[in-house]
Amino acid sequence: MSPYLAILDLAGYVALLLWGVHMVQTGIQRTFGPNLRTVLGVALSNRLNAFLAGVGVTAILQSSTATGLIVAGFAANGLVGLVPALAAMLGANVGTTLIVQVLSFDIAALAPALILLGVVMFRRHAGRTRDLSRVFIGLGLLLLSLHQLLGVLEPYRELPTLRIGLQALSGQPALAVLIAAILAWAAHSSVAVVVLVMSFSAQGILPLETAFALVLGANLGTAINPLMEGSARSDPRARRLPLGNFINRAAGVLLALAILHLIHPWMNELAQDNARAVANFHTLFNLVLAAAFLPLLGPYAAMLRRWLPANVDQYDPGLPIYLDSAAREVPVVALGNAEREALRMADALQTMLTHTRAAFATGDRKRIAEARQEDNTLDRLNAAIKAYVAGLDQDELTADDRRRSTEILTFIINIEHAGDVIDQNLLGHISKLSKRGLTFSPEGHLELDGMFARLDANLRLAASLFMTEDARAARLLAAEKDTLRKMEVDATQAHFDRLRSGRIDTMETSALHLDMLRDLRRVNTHLVAAAAYPVLESRGELLATRLGPKKSGRVTPLISDD
């Protein structure tokens, strides 16, 4: 065979290997991702439970990066202590070794059966079963690529040029570590690199000592990704966990390199073949690293806190906190980040509404300026969240993921529109009152303040409903649309009655009063559309008209979107 064709075959099977690993990871994440996130969050209570949870979740997800993103999100926001978070990462490093152990056995004959099973499940089922089919197809592709790699490499075992190059590499273990670290960082997977090294060793092409050095590099490479790609680089607290994990790995790699000449003969004697020796070394390295660091995590975490103290300066509220760019590889984590950022928009609107109500009560122009600053925050967060959610790979999203991404976009767009109504309309009316030295009648002021109070409660309900998606709460919030409409109608009628009686205070502020009533109702409409309508629509309780189908001569009113 031409050497060029051989290189092409080799590159193709390596690509197939990477794609197999990718399919296994995404299939598991789609099938079990949300549940595993919940399990991991509950288990992060102490270092031992966190370590075991990290092992279990990563063994299922087959991605320490995915586990690390979940844990880092918890740690950065104070939901879990740094010590259990570091313990979970040590467990995640052990968890990635388990599939390598499985693949070190000669089970290539199962590849066609696994691919067939996966294809049948994919074509005949939907939902979780369809997502799980990707795991079987991915495992089949993994085994097939490994088998074909061995066949491609077989004729080149005795190639002089290859042997000279590998011999030169065997004398430079630090260079081998660097090469493997770069490959693992680029592939975002230590599993793929270790499996590739295992294949070369099984053919006798790669000396064991060099293979062990490459395994060390693969372990180091996957710790670089979260360190470089985290979005919250301005917050030192968010950098503690990835930096701590990287230092763990780097210290272990340096120590292992120093005694590699002692480990090599011992590991060779324990294993039956080279592939098993590589897999055993990979597992042993992470187990020893975990055993060495677990007892020291308390003082180690304290050291990281001293190195990276929390910011005491005021942060820019318009900058996103949770939109981690690295999390885009794990949709369930990315959507969770977007949800948390969306709640920050709800908080900003709540603050804006509070300032607006206070400005209405007192005429304080400082409150008007503060409310308008919150609108700028809403605009910037809205743009950041939209870009983040729109940038997710649609092929990686499940049907539930796509539904949730649409709900997130609906929520933030309506929250931003509600802020625009307050900024462009309500604050303008209040500013006019202050500049002209006008005041509403006591009755009119009370009517408007009552609508402000109702909006404040409805906004809290909308934020809660956005997270719970509870149908009862959705009906309550949707009913508030009619409540605010009735409040507007009653207040308008009372206003007209005061006009007919010749009240001067009512005549001077009539237009502003009616405009504010209308604008407060418009804000409420956006709150209902943000949180209630998506839930009701998913349950078939939302119609395009207020009138449902006739039954027994009666007209049944239903929740509407008009």
Side-chain angles (χ1 to χ4, degrees), residues 26 29 65 69 188 229 325-331 334 392 396:
T26 55
Q29 289 168 16
T65 300
L69 289 170
H188 283 60
E229 298 176 10
S325 59
R328 290 182 177 180
E329 297 181 13
V330 189
L392 297 178
E396 300 295 331

Side-chain angles (χ1 to χ4, degrees), residues 15 88 115 135 137 259 278 289 293 315 322 372 389 463 486:
I115 295 174
V135 178
I137 295 173
I259 60 173
V278 170
L289 197 62
F293 271 94
Y315 71 97
Y322 306 113
R372 287 194 159 129
V389 174
K486 186 176 185 304

Side-chain angles (χ1 to χ4, degrees), residues 336-412:
N337 291 344
E339 289 172 353
R340 293 158 72 189
E341 207 68 63
L343 288 178
R344 287 189 66 217
M345 287 189 64
D347 291 341
L349 182 62
Q350 194 94 47
T351 303
M352 186 179 188
L353 191 61
T354 299
H355 287 317
T356 303
R357 187 180 180 185
F360 169 66
T362 64
D364 188 349
R365 294 186 181 181
K366 182 180 178 182
R367 290 290 192 137
I368 295 175
E370 290 172 341
R372 287 194 159 129
Q373 287 177 357
E374 294 298 327
D375 185 61
N376 293 333
T377 298
L378 288 175
D379 292 341
R380 293 166 65 190
L381 289 177
N382 176 56
I385 297 170
K386 279 195 291 189
Y388 185 77
V389 174
L392 297 178
D393 188 349
Q394 295 300 306
D395 292 335
E396 300 295 331
L397 301 180
T398 65
D400 286 340
D401 292 337
R402 284 190 285 273
R403 175 190 60 81
R404 190 55 177 161
S405 66
T406 300
E407 289 173 353
I408 292 170
L409 293 174
T410 299
F411 182 81
I412 64 171

